[in-house]
Amino acid sequence: MKGKLITAVLICFSSIKLLAQDIIVRNKYDSGYFPIVSVLHATSIYVDLKDHWLVHRSAQLLQQDIQMQTGFKPEIISSLPLSADNIIIIGSLDSSEIINRLSSEKKINSETLKGKWESFQFQTLKKPTGGINNALIISGSDRRGTAFGVFELSRQMGVSPWYWWADVPVKKKKEIYFKNGIFIYGPPSVKYRGIFINDEAPAFSGWTKEKFGGVNHLVYEKIFELMLRMKANYLWPAMWGNAFNDDDSLNPILADKYGIVMGTTHHEPMLRAQQEWKRYGHGQWNYDSNEIVLKAFWKKGIEHMDSRESIVSIGMRGDGDMPMTEGSNIALLERIVHDQRKIIEEVTHKPASATPQLWALYKEVQDYYDKDMTVPDDVTLLLCDDNWGNVRKLPRLTDKPRTGGYGIYYHFDYVGDPRNYKWLNTNSIPRVWEQMNLAYQYGADRIWIVNVGDIKPMEFPIQFFLDFAWDTKKWNAENISGYSEEWAKEIFGSQYASDIGALMSSYTKFNSRRKPELLSPDTYSLVNYREAEMIEEEYGQLAAKAEEIYNQISDPYKNAFYQLVLYPIKACANLNNLYVAAGKNRIYAAQRRASTNDFADSVKKYFAEDAALAKYYNTVMSDGKWDHMMDQTHIGYTYWQQPEKNGMPKVEYIQLPDSAKMGLSIEGSSSWWPDDTSEAILPEFDSFGEQSYYIDLFNQGRIPFEYNIKSTVPWIKLSEQKNKIEKQQRLWIKVDWEEVPIGTHKIPLTISGSDGRRLTVFAIIKNYGTVPFKGFVERNGYVSMEASHFTKAINKPDVRWQLIPGIGRTGSGMTVTPVTAPMQTPGADGPRLEYKMMLFDTGRIQVQLYFSPTLNFNGTELHYAISFDDELPQIFNLHPDNSNKSWQQWVANNIIIDSAAFHISKTGIHILKYWMVDPGLVLQKIVVDLNGVKPSYLGPPETLVK
């Protein structure tokens, strides 16, 4: 009977745990709710005097949060009253007498917390003790679990973790009530979840110096609180010119009090900062020649650790985060680690395994590990991305489990090849989810730490990273597109949440296509596929919508909205406008257009606007609270390292003759006429779509001219047939398909100018008649298909295709789930995606496949297969060239474009089949090139007929 009762209780609590994601706080009285703040007063908060400092501090911050929201300041008490209607009891299972007493009396269920890591629960309880009628009990398995419970309550009440760090207004309320019941949270999916403040000059360093006098405990106290509010527990501190333990003696003391587990970076072993070696080290940073000095140096790091929670980085890289000297080998590294662990044992008087350690397989260290470098089993292997958000290595599913487990060091910010990216957020949430989900599914769940640069302006991806690390089950491919809206709702409320969420999703998608620091006047094509104009239009629409919301949103939210939404969108829209204008200036100067100088002036205007936006952020927004945070240079890179100051792209001014000279250019060509002696032929029109193409008429002189344009057929539609041009005008050409005869037609369009010039442009019109076809069609020598627009998906019981919305540069992406699925042999009924297309040409073709830049994370090459119709699939290696040059191109372009040759023997309908071979690949786009694809950054637009 007793066993059945326990089983029933566990089932009950298991089902109750599902309620943890419910909204458990409301603003109006209800009989089923506990009053945190009623119309008359705030309920007192009880904390045991013997409980952890962090629990008391969390209660004080809850007191502050309630007062900010309601104006009522609840009393914090350390003695339970003899009688009270309501009370909030906060306590940890390992230190609170009242929590343990209620547990022993079976009034609260401590079984859900015992032995759990950082777990907590809310429980409302009638008659908990003495004369108290009702209690809300926030209990945690340990000090951090209890703190996380307190801050979860604050978050659900409407206090954002970013209330200080991004000036997010605390949502004002007159009353706050908590839903009766039991709500269980934890343990977290990832044990250690943290951030690394890095690359922090000039922004973070300049800000801290002005506002706090340096990177000291006053700054870190704000950082610790922010971390706890997002359920983070692990920190690598700022290290550019800073040494956490040496700069301010209160730093490590406060970290310990706040329950923050401290570490040092992958290249700072034994809890000693690089700056400490610069200050106190003697001789070379070389273990072969300076072993005794290095051992003594490292020993002090472990001595200083004392009993504070830390994860000790072991191993060694060269000084300044560089590879070790030439000739360094596996045996030397193994000896270094052996000696470091011996130091740990000597200082702590415990086995080395009793002290958490990590060994970061960063850059060349991973190569040593791949060559069978021995790593003690209790040491966490910290696997790394390639500094650009692409995981380099994960455990094999067949690997023997390690007691130390595996972790991931990830990047939202980086200094290094092929170029620094430090200015603004360029991290797409779907992409971060895809890579971190991959890591988690392969067993990297002990440590997740991410390089966040200056913290600001990475607020959005930081919160997702930590939210996902806390609960990896909450976010998946089906709902990841909704994260941005949920984030916006939490910060700005429900009124604009949908629009703001869409803005953030689009902005980060666009910004991830190419880091701002990598932009140049020729990044996006100025002549093919209207690519540059599309970029300007997309960013322009975002900026206009963000500006509209900014003007409508209530004043208390304006500062938060500016820094989190409006500034990054407007600044990036402006930056793209600057580079497109610079590109047009160069082309127009070569064409001697009268508008050349206007675009030179535009570049200057955009350059000045960039500075003005940053100045407002630094000195006006929030009364200058964040001065220097936008000091990061980002314009004028000439190699990987940042320029000392922003440098405007060079522009050209030209002198125009005092006459009128008509010139023209056409869509899809960088030539201009009459300079070019070949025929001016527009891209082809076909009856499968409603295409429109343009002719640019321009003046090469100061005197305006008049023009008229004539067609030999009435079914060519012109946006304008005659006009007067001072500088330039774009004419649009369309086709009235109802009047076009079947067949192919080459129609001349004659443009006559008042300057005496007469130019001809040809339009190729292909009317295929009524063809009942839905799928992709060849157009202008190519077929372009978004991977998510497949005709058919063939799944297997244990492998199915999964859409990841928004992960692509131009759309979504397709992968297989589970990501741990075994390798498949393509063919027969194997998992595949099919794409139906209509081809009008035959012969040799190239199939270009656009993949997210996934690396060989499983230690072997990654493969996929392609076939047409009933042909046998051909297997291809995703990385036929693993050179550093290729990698730099992949990450700079944020895409891997692989090409496969095929031969098409007949025209008509064909089925292209993309077969899964290895898991973990994300296909974004397919382009079939029939010798018509023109240079562009994003590839040709889709040719889908619906």
Side-chain angles (χ1 to χ4, degrees), residues 568-617:
I569 290 176
K570 284 189 69 174
C572 287
N574 182 77
L575 186 67
N576 278 273
N577 288 342
L578 178 146
Y579 281 114
V580 172
K584 287 183 176 180
N585 171 257
R586 294 177 186 181
I587 289 179
Y588 293 175
Q591 297 174 349
R592 310 303 294 173
R593 292 199 193 193
S595 59
T596 299
N597 298 347
D598 294 339
F599 280 89
D601 291 340
S602 292
V603 173
K604 291 182 176 180
K605 181 192 75 172
Y606 293 132
F607 188 72
E609 177 67 6
D610 178 87
L613 289 168
K615 183 176 181 181
Y616 184 90
Y617 188 113

Side-chain angles (χ1 to χ4, degrees), residues 269-425:
M270 304 292 277
L271 299 177
R272 297 302 302 267
Q274 178 191 352
Q275 292 300 317
E276 292 181 80
W277 176 254
K278 289 184 177 181
R279 297 170 190 176
Y280 310 118
H282 302 286
Q284 292 184 327
W285 182 264
N286 184 302
Y287 202 69
D288 273 333
S289 63
N290 205 15
E291 176 181 336
I292 294 174
V293 171
L294 283 167
K295 280 183 176 179
F297 177 74
W298 290 336
K299 184 177 182 181
K300 284 189 178 295
I302 304 305
E303 289 174 342
H304 189 273
M305 175 182 70
D306 197 17
S307 61
R308 291 186 284 269
E309 280 189 276
S310 306
I311 300 178
V312 179
S313 296
I314 59 173
M316 187 177 184
R317 293 195 81 219
D319 194 15
D321 197 15
M322 300 297 290
M324 292 176 68
T325 56
E326 187 175 350
S328 297
N329 53 43
I330 292 172
L332 175 60
L333 267 176
E334 290 177 343
R335 180 162 68 91
I336 290 170
V337 169
H338 174 269
D339 293 348
Q340 288 171 340
R341 286 166 62 83
K342 190 174 181 180
I343 292 171
I344 293 172
E345 291 182 337
E346 290 173 353
V347 174
T348 64
H349 305 293
K350 297 177 183 177
S353 59
T355 299
Q357 301 152 65
L358 67 81
W359 194 348
L361 303 188
Y362 187 71
K363 292 189 176 180
E364 79 286 347
V365 182
Q366 180 183 312
D367 298 332
Y368 300 151
Y369 179 74
D370 290 340
K371 294 174 183 176
D372 297 323
M373 178 179 70
T374 300
V375 180
D377 191 65
D378 60 275
V379 174
T380 301
L381 283 178
L382 190 68
L383 307 170
C384 304
D385 70 353
D386 60 354
N387 304 308
W388 288 72
N390 310 300
V391 174
R392 293 180 65 202
K393 183 181 183 64
L394 292 172
R396 293 185 181 92
L397 297 173
T398 56
D399 285 351
K400 181 182 177 181
R402 299 175 48 80
T403 56
Y406 299 87
I408 286 289
Y409 170 37
Y410 202 71
H411 285 76
F412 289 159
D413 167 291
Y414 180 61
V415 169
D417 285 335
R419 190 158 291 180
N420 297 355
Y421 61 98
K422 298 173 59 181
W423 176 43
L424 289 174
N425 175 32

Side-chain angles (χ1 to χ4, degrees), residues 29 31 60 91 145 177 182 245 279 290 371 474 490 504 514 528 541 679-680 697 755 760 849 929 946:
Y29 172 74
S31 59
Q60 291 168 3
Y177 296 90
I182 303 173
N245 292 324
R279 297 170 190 176
N290 205 15
K371 294 174 183 176
K474 182 175 181 181
E490 181 178 344
M504 295 303 291
R514 186 134 181 123
N528 296 321
Q541 289 175 350
E679 289 184 335
L697 286 179
D755 64 338
T760 301
L849 296 104
D929 184 5
K946 297 181 180 180

Side-chain angles (χ1 to χ4, degrees), residues 706-778:
E706 294 181 351
Y707 76 89
N708 66 73
I709 179 169
K710 292 182 180 180
S711 169
T712 58
V713 295
W715 32 266
I716 293 285
K717 301 299 180 184
L718 309 170
S719 61
E720 203 150 9
Q721 291 185 292
K722 60 181 179 178
N723 206 338
K724 185 177 183 179
I725 292 181
E726 181 179 349
K727 292 185 178 179
Q728 64 185 32
Q729 182 181 353
R730 178 160 289 185
L731 305 177
W732 290 98
I733 316 300
K734 294 184 177 181
V735 175
D736 182 358
W737 289 105
E738 292 184 1
E739 303 297 327
V740 180
I742 301 296
T744 300
H745 313 276
K746 184 177 182 180
I747 308 300
L749 305 172
T750 305
I751 303 102
S752 301
S754 59
D755 64 338
R757 282 182 172 176
R758 184 182 176 90
L759 303 172
T760 301
V761 175
F762 292 94
I764 307 298
I765 317 295
K766 292 184 176 181
N767 187 355
Y768 296 102
T770 303
V771 180
F773 176 79
K774 292 183 178 181
F776 298 92
V777 297
E778 177 188 341

Side-chain angles (χ1 to χ4, degrees), residues 422-635:
K422 298 173 59 181
W423 176 43
L424 289 174
N425 175 32
T426 60
N427 303 282
S428 159
I429 296 301
R431 176 61 172 166
V432 175
W433 172 83
E434 183 266 331
Q435 285 290 284
M436 296 312 298
N437 177 64
L438 185 74
Y440 185 79
Q441 298 302 329
Y442 275 83
D445 61 0
R446 185 63 56 90
I447 300 170
W448 282 12
I449 189 161
V450 59
N451 184 330
V452 300
D454 305 308
I455 299 180
K456 302 180 71 63
M458 300 296 171
E459 300 96 337
F460 183 43
I462 288 173
Q463 186 162 333
F464 173 74
F465 185 89
L466 295 174
D467 283 349
F468 189 48
W470 173 261
D471 185 2
T472 55
K473 293 180 180 179
K474 182 175 181 181
W475 297 104
N476 52 56
E478 278 79 20
N479 66 13
I480 191 62
S481 60
Y483 182 84
S484 58
E485 182 174 345
E486 181 168 308
W487 175 86
K489 184 177 181 180
E490 181 178 344
I491 290 179
F492 297 106
S494 59
Q495 183 177 0
Y496 301 106
S498 178
D499 287 339
I500 295 173
L503 286 173
M504 295 303 291
S505 293
S506 297
Y507 150 68
T508 49
K509 179 187 182 75
F510 298 162
N511 235 23
S512 68
R513 289 169 172 167
R514 186 134 181 123
K515 311 289 188 186
E517 292 87 345
L518 277 159
L519 290 173
S520 67
D522 58 359
T523 295
Y524 297 109
S525 177
L526 294 156
V527 296
N528 296 321
Y529 313 126
R530 300 175 211 158
E531 187 173 66
E533 284 92 344
M534 180 195 74
I535 295 299
E536 284 190 299
E537 182 180 356
E538 287 180 336
Y539 271 109
Q541 289 175 350
L542 292 186
K545 185 63 179 179
E547 192 82 60
E548 176 187 332
I549 295 174
Y550 180 76
N551 292 331
Q552 294 174 352
I553 205 164
S554 62
D555 287 345
Y557 285 95
K558 288 190 184 299
N559 287 329
F561 188 82
Y562 187 88
Q563 59 197 279
L564 294 174
V565 184
L566 183 60
Y567 172 76
I569 290 176
K570 284 189 69 174
C572 287
N574 182 77
L575 186 67
N576 278 273
N577 288 342
L578 178 146
Y579 281 114
V580 172
K584 287 183 176 180
N585 171 257
R586 294 177 186 181
I587 289 179
Y588 293 175
Q591 297 174 349
R592 310 303 294 173
R593 292 199 193 193
S595 59
T596 299
N597 298 347
D598 294 339
F599 280 89
D601 291 340
S602 292
V603 173
K604 291 182 176 180
K605 181 192 75 172
Y606 293 132
F607 188 72
E609 177 67 6
D610 178 87
L613 289 168
K615 183 176 181 181
Y616 184 90
Y617 188 113
N618 282 340
T619 64
V620 179
M621 180 193 77
S622 302
D623 297 324
K625 177 180 177 181
W626 302 109
D627 195 14
H628 299 294
M629 276 296 189
M630 283 304 125
D631 284 358
Q632 179 61 53
T633 56
H634 49 278
I635 309 174

